[in-house]
Structures are given as C-alpha cells and as structure tokens.
Amino acid sequence: MERVYNFAAGPSTLPLDVLKKVQENLLCYGESGMSVMEMSHRSADYSAIRDGAEKALRELMNIPDNYKVLFMHGGATGQFAAVPLNLLNGSGKADYVLSGVFSKKASVEAQKYGDIAIAASSAGANFSFIPATTRESFRPDADYVHICFNNTIYGTRFPYIPDTGDIPLVADMSSCIASEPVDVSKFGVIYAGAQKNMGIAGMAIVIVREDLIGKARENTPAILDYRLAAENDSMYNTPPCWSIYITKLVCDWLLENGGLEAAKARNEEKAALLYDYLDHQDFYVAPVDAPSRSMMNVVFRTGDAELDKLFVSEAAQAGLKSLKGHKAVGGLRASIYNAMPKEGVEKLLAFMKQFAQNHSQQ
Ligand SMILES: *Cc1c(COP(=O)(O)O)cnc(C)c1O
C-alpha cells in the first residue's frame, strides 16, 4: 500500500523525512544500543534528546530567555485546566474570547476555578470570523485573557494579536504553532497539543513567561503545576518521552528547511491555491470571512450533505484522505499543516475541480 495524502486535523500528517529518521533509529538509537522507547528518561542519551527538543524549539520560534519551555502531559485539554490553576491567582477573574469549539471548552473548564467572562464572541455568526477586541473589551483586573489563535474546526485564525495592556495574554496555538513566525513576547502563555503541527499525541508544548510561574493554587495537581515542570526540566514524573523525541525531529526538520519564515511562505502558497480557487467558482461554499481565514485548516462544503459524503469517499479512493469536516459543522475540511507537501494540495485542487465538473447542474 502506498502512502496517501492525509488531510486529517490531528493527529495529522508528519514530514516523511521525520518518519524515515524514526524508522532508521527505531531499534537502536545512535550508540545507545536501544530504542528511544526503551530509554530511561534520566539517561544521558535521553537528556540529550529532551534538551535538544527545547533548544530546537527555542531557536525555531525565537523564544526569549525569560520564557520557560515545558513539555507536559494531557494535550491541549490538560492546559484548559492548567492555565486557570496556575494563573487565576489575583482577582480570580479571567476573560475568554469565544471563537469556536475549543475556546468554548477552555472557558467551560476555567469556570470550575473562577469568575470567567466572555469578552467577545462570534457564536452568533456560527464562528465564521474572529471577533474584534480592544483593550476595553477586557476587565482591567482580569488575571489573564485567553484566545484560541487558530480555530481548527471552523477554519479561522486571529488576524491580529489582541491588545490586553498589562494583562497576560494566553493563546491556544494547537493547530498553528510553528506555521509562521510569531512574536512570543506579546504572550504570557502559548500552549499547543503536539499532534497537529509539532508531532504526535499525548503532549502539550507550553511556553510560559517566567513571572507567571510559581503562583499556582494550592490544590493544583502536581502534574499541571508550571513551577514543578519548570524546576524539573519537564521531568517531575516520567515525561511523554516519545512525543518529545518526535517534536525534536519535527523542529530539526523545520530548521533544516529554512525555519518559520520559509514555513510561512510554503503555507501561504498552499492555502492560496485552495482559497483562490474557492473564491472564483460557485460549486463550493467557503463560509469563513476572508480576513479571518486559517492558513492551516481550509473549510468548505458543497451545500448538499450527500454530495459532501460522496466527495469524502471519492477523494479517499483517489488517495486524498480525511477530508470530512468536524461533526460540529459538517461539510469538508482540508488540514494543510507544515508537513503537507504542495503536491498534496495540488492533487486535492485537481480533484475538487473534477468533482465540481462532474456534479454541476449546468
Ligand atoms: C485539537 C485541539 C485541542 C485539543 O487538543 P488535545 O491535545 O486533544 O487536548 C485544543 N485546541 C485546539 C485549537 C485544537 O486544535
């Protein structure tokens, strides 16, 4: 069986070069005589992998020295709880921007711990755009403001970084981390589940400004406490060793291929192929307002649920897999993360054109 083009939203396609490297070293990593899966996390070999992952991520994202990089268990959903437990420690208030399913989940989780307000929302427009905010949108005594930078399900991305004044800005970047350069210093915390653009499931990457560490609530589970993670180089307990290893290889691959400026150029080119086509035809509907469009998750539909289904199955037969939209919105979605080659998008585009031609009324 040949490899297909995998457009899944996450877990998602990995760079082929990374998979080959994994395969090469699967039974015996370097001079260690064992697989990375079998290594003690306290061994010198594994320490080099963990340190290498952090170093590569810092270089890739240009992370300032006053930020800690943590590799934590529990994916992005673990961070929905970790963020309020670690940061909701002043007024006990936090403001959330509602822009889709995951920001909603994050806010509902935070409600267990404090006074959570919705500062802005596009729920009334089926999350088809990113709501505008100003400094006045946020309560001045909020402990933090939370946004979901790229909305994986609705296919939107923040076209701006909210101005929160002195209030720390927390961003869920699960589906857009390392897709383009970002100014880390504008954020208090950036977190991401690794399985979309950075590796495999089971881990959250957390980039946190140092002054926000060490003030967790007393009843914070040890596994979610940023201070314990930071003081122990993310090894307070056995870390997600294999996930950290894959993330290191993904970061190395991005660095070898020109870093985030080059990644951005590749991603813009891929997204433009699809959006330019969608804008100049009338078979498919692309529901997202142009300025809010995601570069990673391209959402569209035919307008006929049965036809969407047929699209998904015929595409799969053509080696283009996992194009079904999320169950919350239906329709179709192409996730075109860093690891999706341009040829994959070109094949998809050709398929879309052919499908439209075959099923047009005229
Ligand atoms: C996938 C996703 C999540 C959930 O990630 P888990 O690692 O499964 O907890 C949260 N936020 C966003 C933006 C996502 O895309």
Side-chain angles (χ1 to χ4, degrees), residues 13-58:
T13 192
L14 285 162
L16 191 57
D17 290 347
V18 166
L19 292 173
K20 283 182 175 160
K21 200 165 268 183
V22 169
Q23 186 179 39
E24 236 170 74
N25 294 289
L26 190 65
L27 299 183
C28 200
Y29 179 82
E31 297 298 305
S32 72
M34 63 182 82
S35 172
V36 174
M37 282 184 265
E38 304 169 297
M39 274 178 192
S40 162
H41 59 296
R42 307 285 178 201
S43 67
D45 281 313
Y46 192 76
S47 291
I49 290 173
R50 197 226 71 94
D51 294 351
E54 176 173 344
K55 186 163 171 283
L57 186 69
R58 282 187 177 280

Side-chain angles (χ1 to χ4, degrees), residues 239-308:
C241 300
W242 185 253
S243 298
I244 293 173
Y245 170 57
I246 304 297
T247 290
K248 176 188 182 294
L249 296 182
V250 169
C251 289
D252 288 346
W253 174 79
L254 283 165
L255 287 167
E256 285 158 16
N257 285 282
L260 294 191
E261 285 293 350
K264 181 185 185 184
R266 291 192 297 270
N267 290 328
E268 279 177 343
E269 192 186 6
K270 287 184 289 176
L273 282 174
L274 297 180
Y275 287 125
D276 284 350
Y277 168 64
L278 288 167
D279 284 343
H280 294 97
Q281 52 78 52
D282 52 16
F283 182 77
Y284 303 98
V285 179
V288 175
D289 289 2
S292 299
R293 281 172 172 171
S294 168
M295 197 162 58
M296 298 279 98
N297 312 99
V298 179
V299 168
F300 57 101
R301 60 175 118 85
T302 64
D304 172 341
E306 285 307 311
L307 213 48
D308 286 345

Side-chain angles (χ1 to χ4, degrees), residues 196-210:
K196 275 135 192 172
N197 218 10
M198 288 303 258
I200 59 170
M203 176 169 87
I205 293 164
V206 183
I207 302 165
V208 51
R209 213 173 62 211
E210 276 170 355

Side-chain angles (χ1 to χ4, degrees), residues 54-71:
E54 176 173 344
K55 186 163 171 283
L57 186 69
R58 282 187 177 280
E59 184 182 341
L60 185 67
M61 291 185 66
N62 198 17
I63 298 172
D65 288 343
N66 63 325
Y67 285 73
K68 292 282 189 207
V69 171
L70 312 175
F71 301 115

Side-chain angles (χ1 to χ4, degrees), residues 74-78 80 102 148 150-152 172 174-175 193 195-196 203:
T77 304
F80 293 171
F102 290 115
C148 179
N150 184 81
N151 296 276
T152 325
D172 176 355
S174 293
S175 49
Q195 73 273 22
K196 275 135 192 172
M203 176 169 87

